Amino acid sequence: MMNQTVVNVKDIHKVFGKRSENQYHALNGVTFDIKAGEFVGIMGPSGAGKTTLLNVISTLDKPTDGTIEIAGTNITSMKQRQLADFRSEQLGFIFQDFNLLENLTIYENIALPLSLQGVPSRKIKPSVVEVAKKLGIETILEKYPVTVSGGQKQRAAAARALVHEPAIILADEPTGALDSKSAKSLMEAMVHLNENHDVSIMMVTHDPLSASYCERILFIHDGALYKEIHRNGSRSEFHHQILDVLADFAE
Amino acid sequence: MLLKLSFSSMRKRFKDYLVLLFGLTISIAIFYMFETLAQNKTFIEANGMISSIVFVFHVGTFILGAITIFYIFYATSFMLTLRQKEMGMYMTLGAKKHKITQLMFFETFFIGLISLLVGLIVGFGLAKGIAELFMWQLDFNGEGFQAFYLSSIITTVIFYVILFLLTSIVNAWKISRKSVLSLLHAEQKQDFVKTKGSKTFFGVLFAIILIGIGYYAMINIAKLMQAGVILAAVTIIIGTYLIFIAFLPYFVKKLKQNRTLNEKGINSFTLGQLRFRMLNLTKVLGTVAMLVALGLGAMTAGISFYHNIEKQASAFHANDVIIHQPSKEDTEALAEMNVTEKNVYHYKIDDQGIYFLKKDLTDNPPLIKYSKETFELPETTRVSQALPKDKYVLGQNDNIASLPEFWTTAISMEINASYQQFGAKDVYVYGSAGYQEIDATEQQVILATVDDFTDYLPQLKTINTNQLKLAETYREETVENIGTKYSNYVAFKAVASGTIFMGFFLGVAFLMMMASVLMFKLLSSAAADTHRYSMLRKIGVRKSLLVKSIYRELFLLFLFPALVGLVHVIVGMQMFSFIIIEPYTKIWIPISIFIIIYGIYYWVTVQMYKRIVLPKEV
Ligand SMILES: Nc1ncnc2c1ncn2[C@@H]1O[C@H](COP(=O)(O)OP(=O)(O)OP(=O)(O)O)[C@@H](O)[C@H]1O
Ligand SMILES: [Mg+2]
């Protein structure tokens, strides 16, 4: 189980713009794997292609070239409708903002992926409560998103991303709109999910502190893999390591 | 420079502007359409059945004007929300405040003028199309009605130019008072409303009680008279608003609390949207329901008046056809009808009098209309009074016995031995001996009933024309009405169809206006929903499922006011049951017109909403 590959990205390219126009190569042959139960961070300067990479992995966008396999399925050859179903079954999403539907309670938000898959209502409640406990938000389930804090919202988003037991959770700057304290609590919750419940996570972030919670970080530069670092020691050591790599970019 | 920028950004938000233009155009078109009738005083007075018709139109203009003012102010403030963020941006980039104020003013005014132009053209088309359709349907020539009516154009232009000037000033003023920061963050506000439990309960209770009282008043209008109308109006208006403020949100909340329903597929989202919407739309939905009731009510009342004409015409005559001294053409026309009963009576006529043969009458007594009490609708009965004497006269005479009451009705109404038909003559009924002695040519009159009066209008017209000619030979003057069922029918119809035409025209105008208010209100808040749909799409909801959710949500929003309005109309028609004989005949016609208009709006709303909220696919 531990060494099974959940995401396999092979030599993907992404070109924006039609052939006749000004073309922009956002991704230039990126290759990497994510193993089950890994917590991988993606970092890089602005415009490096991080969001583009996340979008093609999350099937929201199609790569121009290359193949992507998620949980053993090649997603690059799938049709729109299959892709939607694939997303709803195999992927969990946490965005920077607008994660939750304001017109639904936190409970209903978390339950939505299960309802959409046709899980019978009597089985929904135990799953929602269980995942809410994992993220420490079981007391706010009946509230509406506007009445809870930003950190709680993001944890609720994480709960929603997790509730249907996807192969991997994809997060694009989940702490981007949070203050440092809320960011810390979200990251701790994610680490908890990763370590105690074997959830695989891929997270794009700008924030070195958030990134230091990951096990492994892929640095992207100009649409290509620039460097890869693993965490061996403590979190603060890893934090310094990350800052060093980022300093390289500045030069 | 700024002008160029603002044009290019207007192009970018084209869909939102389309919604705005659409809303303004409809409002202008309908206002104009209404005014083509309201200002055409000669037409109204010539065709109105009731003397206060001009007043009715004044009230109509007032109501429509008031709705329009709210609508336009709302629509242009929607425009402000579209633009304010960008205006804030220009200001942070160093644009002067008075420039921005000017820009906002001219933009609002410009949009207003475009929609005024398009609206007048559409309004002309609508007025012409709808008028022609109804005139054709009602068999009404509507002389004097003009779809292109200059004075209405002038009024519409003046009214809207003033309105747009005002709203432009208001928009400019609003933007000039806001700080740059509040402009920049304008769109981030979230509207969110909560319902409170105890208030809801009393609201629901009150709504039901009030509407109950209103319905009671309408059903018993004959007893309560004017007080009943006022009572019904007040209680039903308040009750309707309460239904939308308290009952419907409560109802949707209860639906949501049903776990199995709520947690099935995308239902929780659909219901969530619905609930959210409902709370923001309570007043609009209430207004729509009320005006649906008014517009549909006007049409339904109109159509039942129309179908009442035949019944009114038959209130005085039991027989459908009467032919004095039938010609060959008359008998041929009669042969074309499905006759259910036919009687022939002989009489002699000279300069002084008309003499009926008693034997004919007593052998085959005719049908008459008779009402036991003065204000009751007459019923059909057969004359059964005996005529023992030899000679009778119609009316008072010292020497001869007066004809009994029922026979008088039979001869004056059914056989029409009246002044209208024969001029001033005495009418007698003689036994065979006396009848023989009269030295005059013998004539005959045919009375007949048919299966469906309105099926044979052309034949009846032929017969009627001949009878008019006959009357002219006796009366030696031009005769237009001889008081038969057919001539009554024609006269009633001429008077009523003008009024009915106006009722329909106004009803349709109001319905179109109402549906467009609802449509605009829904679409103007659509942009704020975009991120929800895009989020759902990202987490893997199929597009078809989102489309289905949109169809359902909007369907329910359109349905609720329609249902409430419809129930009001159906109960409200009871008010007419003492003037209209069967108020519910052909009620399906106005209801179908309503469903078609409303259905088109629903469909267009869904299509436009879909285009706004559904994200583009890769
Ligand atoms: N739809 C698009 N059309 C054209 N070019 C695009 C499109 N999306 C992204 N790009 C370009 O591709 C490059 C990579 O964009 P991407 O959003 O992946 O960057 P990023 O690493 O996520 O940056 P940031 O850290 O600022 O979010 C950028 O130069 C961007 O301009
Ligand atoms: Mg990005």
Side-chain angles (χ1 to χ4, degrees):
Chain A
M1 177 71 200
M2 209 40 212
N3 279 328
Q4 208 180 321
T5 308
V6 272
V7 177
N8 180 307
V9 176
K10 226 183 273 166
D11 194 29
I12 52 165
H13 292 256
K14 177 72 190 178
V15 183
F16 287 113
K18 292 200 187 81
R19 199 149 290 169
S20 54
E21 298 164 8
N22 261 358
Q23 290 190 324
Y24 187 85
H25 292 256
L27 294 176
N28 292 309
V30 178
T31 302
F32 66 90
D33 277 348
I34 296 177
K35 300 261 179 285
E38 262 196 308
F39 188 174
V40 177
I42 309 275
M43 293 193 82
S46 189
K50 305 181 295 290
T51 302
T52 310
L53 178 64
L54 195 81
N55 282 349
V56 293
I57 292 176
S58 61
T59 78
L60 294 172
D61 206 347
K62 274 191 186 290
T64 318
D65 210 355
T67 54
I68 301 169
E69 277 180 18
I70 297 177
T73 317
N74 184 348
I75 58 162
T76 33
S77 56
M78 281 201 212
K79 297 244 157 51
Q80 266 308 326
R81 203 184 166 113
Q82 290 172 303
L83 284 176
D85 290 350
F86 182 81
R87 285 202 292 277
S88 71
E89 284 157 21
Q90 300 291 349
L91 304 179
F93 288 93
I94 310 173
F95 310 107
Q96 182 173 342
D97 45 21
F98 292 135
N99 269 300
L100 302 176
L101 298 164
E102 311 86 338
N103 47 21
L104 298 185
T105 60
I106 302 285
Y107 175 91
E108 288 171 324
N109 265 291
I110 299 173
L112 195 57
L114 297 179
S115 305
L116 288 168
Q117 284 180 14
V119 175
S121 148
R122 74 195 134 76
K123 287 192 186 154
I124 289 179
K125 188 163 187 186
S127 311
V128 173
V129 172
E130 190 194 320
V131 72
K133 275 195 186 132
K134 284 182 195 165
L135 286 149
I137 48 167
E138 69 271 30
T139 54
I140 55 162
L141 284 177
E142 290 313 316
K143 292 192 172 182
Y144 281 90
V146 275
T147 62
V148 306
S149 75
Q152 285 172 323
K153 264 190 234 173
Q154 288 304 69
R155 274 186 278 157
R160 190 206 50 209
L162 193 66
V163 73
H164 55 300
E165 297 174 348
I168 187 165
I169 289 186
L170 302 168
D172 193 358
E173 306 202 26
T175 57
L178 299 181
D179 59 85
S180 60
K181 203 171 144 222
S182 304
K184 187 164 175 259
S185 82
L186 177 65
M187 290 321 298
E188 278 166 358
M190 290 187 42
V191 169
H192 171 78
L193 292 178
N194 173 251
E195 286 178 353
N196 301 330
H197 302 280
D198 283 337
V199 179
S200 319
I201 303 172
M202 175 176 151
M203 173 179 82
V204 169
T205 182
H206 265 125
D207 173 28
L209 201 62
S210 297
S212 68
Y213 287 86
C214 301
E215 293 166 30
R216 176 159 71 110
I217 293 179
L218 303 171
F219 288 91
I220 305 219
H221 189 47
D222 288 340
L225 220 56
Y226 170 81
K227 193 165 188 160
E228 180 176 338
I229 57 172
H230 288 260
R231 186 167 99 191
N232 300 317
S234 72
R235 201 167 59 75
S236 66
E237 272 173 49
F238 197 46
H239 186 200
H240 284 293
Q241 229 179 320
I242 295 166
L243 290 173
D244 287 345
V245 180
L246 292 179
D248 285 353
F249 284 123
E251 280 163 19
Chain B
M1 180 59 199
L2 223 44
L3 211 63
K4 219 167 147 191
L5 267 178
S6 83
F7 265 116
S8 81
S9 74
M10 277 161 92
R11 253 213 311 277
K12 252 182 270 153
R13 300 198 72 167
F14 181 67
K15 280 185 220 161
D16 291 319
Y17 276 93
L18 202 65
V19 171
L20 180 64
L21 273 177
F22 198 86
L24 294 176
T25 305
I26 296 259
S27 145
I28 293 161
I30 291 166
F31 187 85
Y32 169 76
M33 174 176 148
F34 185 89
E35 289 304 304
T36 54
L37 252 194
Q39 303 217 339
N40 199 332
K41 230 183 184 154
T42 32
F43 176 79
I44 304 175
E45 278 173 350
N47 292 289
M49 198 160 41
I50 26 181
S51 55
S52 52
I53 191 84
V54 177
F55 173 73
V56 170
F57 275 92
H58 282 319
V59 174
T61 306
F62 178 77
I63 296 178
L64 194 66
I67 298 171
T68 307
I69 290 173
F70 279 112
Y71 185 60
I72 298 295
F73 268 91
Y74 176 75
T76 43
S77 76
F78 166 62
M79 178 163 170
L80 185 71
T81 60
L82 284 181
R83 302 288 290 136
Q84 54 192 1
K85 197 167 181 185
E86 202 172 320
M87 297 289 185
M89 204 115 84
Y90 296 157
M91 262 147 92
T92 49
L93 295 176
K96 294 248 165 40
K97 196 152 206 172
H98 76 262
K99 275 269 177 212
I100 296 291
T101 309
Q102 259 176 23
L103 192 64
M104 196 66 225
F105 177 87
F106 283 117
E107 266 189 38
T108 313
F109 200 61
F110 175 70
I111 294 277
L113 288 187
I114 292 185
S115 44
L116 186 56
L117 188 72
V118 182
L120 280 175
I121 296 170
V122 174
F124 166 72
L126 278 181
K128 197 167 168 62
I130 292 176
E132 272 171 16
L133 178 72
F134 287 150
M135 285 181 187
W136 171 65
Q137 277 291 314
L138 291 169
D139 190 15
F140 165 63
N141 66 9
E143 231 169 283
F145 177 79
Q146 286 165 297
F148 185 87
Y149 200 65
L150 195 62
S151 120
S152 308
I153 294 181
I154 294 171
T155 316
T156 311
V157 168
I158 292 176
F159 181 69
Y160 277 94
V161 166
I162 292 177
L163 210 51
F164 285 134
L165 266 177
L166 280 178
T167 52
S168 305
I169 290 170
V170 169
N171 269 2
W173 179 70
K174 271 190 191 157
I175 213 153
S176 75
R177 273 188 5 152
K178 285 197 175 160
S179 71
V180 180
L181 270 181
S182 72
L183 285 177
L184 279 174
H185 300 298
E187 273 174 19
Q188 289 168 10
K189 259 190 300 169
Q190 284 169 332
D191 35 3
F192 184 79
V193 210
K194 266 184 91 175
T195 40
K196 293 195 191 68
S198 61
K199 263 194 192 167
T200 317
F201 175 75
F202 284 110
V204 173
L205 193 70
F206 241 3
I208 293 172
I209 292 175
L210 283 174
I211 291 194
I213 294 174
Y215 281 0
Y216 177 83
M218 288 201 292
I219 293 169
N220 295 294
I221 203 81
K223 268 184 267 164
L224 299 169
M225 304 303 283
Q226 260 153 336
V229 178
I230 296 169
L231 182 67
V234 172
T235 51
I236 289 178
I237 289 174
I238 300 177
T240 304
Y241 279 103
L242 271 179
I243 281 198
F244 286 97
I245 291 168
F247 179 72
L248 276 182
Y250 173 78
F251 176 71
V252 177
K253 195 172 144 195
K254 280 278 162 236
L255 273 187
K256 266 190 95 60
Q257 277 169 0
N258 179 340
R259 276 230 147 85
T260 358
L261 180 79
N262 194 40
E263 289 177 358
K264 194 159 165 257
I266 198 156
N267 282 0
S268 70
F269 173 69
T270 313
L271 289 174
Q273 281 279 93
L274 192 64
R275 172 146 178 264
F276 198 50
R277 273 284 160 61
M278 199 89 90
L279 294 169
N280 285 316
L281 284 180
T282 47
K283 285 173 214 94
V284 174
L285 291 178
T287 312
V288 170
M290 278 321 298
L291 289 155
V292 161
L294 274 185
L296 187 57
M299 279 179 8
T300 312
I303 203 101
S304 22
F305 269 113
Y306 189 72
H307 288 282
N308 200 37
I309 295 172
E310 197 254 334
K311 301 209 177 66
Q312 267 183 339
S314 39
F316 307 106
H317 296 275
N319 289 285
D320 297 306
V321 194
I322 164 169
I323 316 173
H324 279 282
Q325 305 166 23
S327 67
K328 187 157 170 281
E329 197 183 18
D330 293 333
T331 44
E332 274 167 12
L334 186 64
E336 283 168 32
M337 302 186 223
N338 240 337
V339 174
T340 46
E341 180 179 319
K342 180 179 156 187
N343 292 310
V344 180
Y345 305 103
H346 290 90
Y347 63 94
K348 288 180 178 171
I349 181 163
D350 60 21
D351 287 349
Q352 270 76 50
I354 309 167
Y355 311 88
F356 283 93
L357 177 61
K358 191 173 87 180
K359 189 174 178 311
D360 274 0
L361 292 169
T362 47
D363 281 357
N364 297 306
L367 292 170
I368 59 163
K369 284 282 180 177
Y370 166 71
S371 52
K372 289 190 204 89
E373 286 178 42
T374 324
F375 288 110
E376 234 168 55
L377 281 172
E379 281 171 21
T380 305
T381 45
R382 198 174 292 284
V383 183
S384 55
Q385 279 171 321
L387 293 175
K389 299 217 170 73
D390 253 354
K391 290 184 178 177
Y392 290 94
V393 68
L394 201 139
Q396 296 292 324
N397 189 306
D398 292 341
N399 306 322
I400 311 179
S402 287
L403 200 62
E405 184 195 351
F406 291 158
W407 283 111
T408 304
T409 311
I411 288 182
S412 60
M413 297 303 293
E414 301 296 336
I415 297 181
N416 200 27
S418 62
Y419 177 83
Q420 280 161 307
Q421 180 71 57
F422 295 109
K425 283 189 173 50
D426 291 328
V427 179
Y428 305 93
V429 174
Y430 278 12
S432 303
Y435 184 78
Q436 292 293 331
E437 286 165 18
I438 306 290
D439 182 24
T441 39
E442 182 170 63
Q443 302 289 359
Q444 59 173 344
V445 54
I446 302 174
L447 291 189
T449 57
V450 294
D451 58 348
D452 189 345
F453 182 80
T454 47
D455 275 358
Y456 307 115
L457 295 178
Q459 289 87 346
L460 291 165
K461 188 175 179 184
T462 313
I463 294 172
N464 192 60
T465 317
N466 291 338
Q467 295 293 295
L468 285 175
K469 276 189 209 137
L470 183 70
E472 282 171 4
T473 61
Y474 285 109
R475 287 169 59 183
E476 294 171 340
E477 57 185 340
T478 40
V479 180
E480 270 163 11
N481 186 335
I482 42 168
T484 56
K485 179 170 173 180
Y486 178 79
S487 49
N488 281 346
Y489 175 81
V490 172
F492 286 152
K493 191 166 149 177
V495 181
S497 52
T499 309
I500 292 157
F501 170 77
M502 288 185 238
F504 261 69
F505 201 82
L506 297 193
V508 168
F510 264 97
L511 288 182
M512 288 172 69
M513 182 74 188
M514 270 9 281
S516 106
V517 168
L518 182 55
M519 171 176 165
F520 184 74
K521 187 80 182 156
L522 288 173
L523 288 178
S524 63
S525 61
D529 291 339
T530 314
H531 69 264
R532 287 184 209 130
Y533 286 91
S534 105
M535 200 278 282
L536 285 170
R537 191 75 184 114
K538 279 185 192 163
I539 68 167
V541 183
R542 285 184 189 176
K543 192 172 172 184
S544 56
L545 199 57
L546 290 179
V547 170
K548 197 168 117 191
S549 165
I550 292 174
Y551 267 103
R552 279 206 204 152
E553 180 201 337
L554 296 185
F555 179 75
L556 289 174
L557 282 171
F558 270 81
L559 180 72
F560 289 136
L563 271 186
V564 173
L566 202 61
V567 173
H568 284 352
V569 169
I570 289 174
V571 178
M573 285 311 288
Q574 282 291 330
M575 285 200 295
F576 296 106
S577 59
F578 75 106
I579 6 177
I580 296 179
I581 295 158
E582 279 166 27
Y584 295 105
T585 27
K586 311 252 173 153
I587 195 171
W588 63 270
I589 295 177
I591 291 181
S592 318
I593 294 178
F594 165 67
I595 289 175
I596 290 170
I597 294 178
Y598 214 65
I600 291 175
Y601 272 104
Y602 163 66
W603 188 80
V604 172
T605 310
V606 171
Q607 299 314 314
M608 290 182 80
Y609 190 85
K610 256 170 42 184
R611 286 186 57 176
I612 294 173
V613 299
L614 289 185
K616 285 219 175 65
E617 299 296 324
V618 286

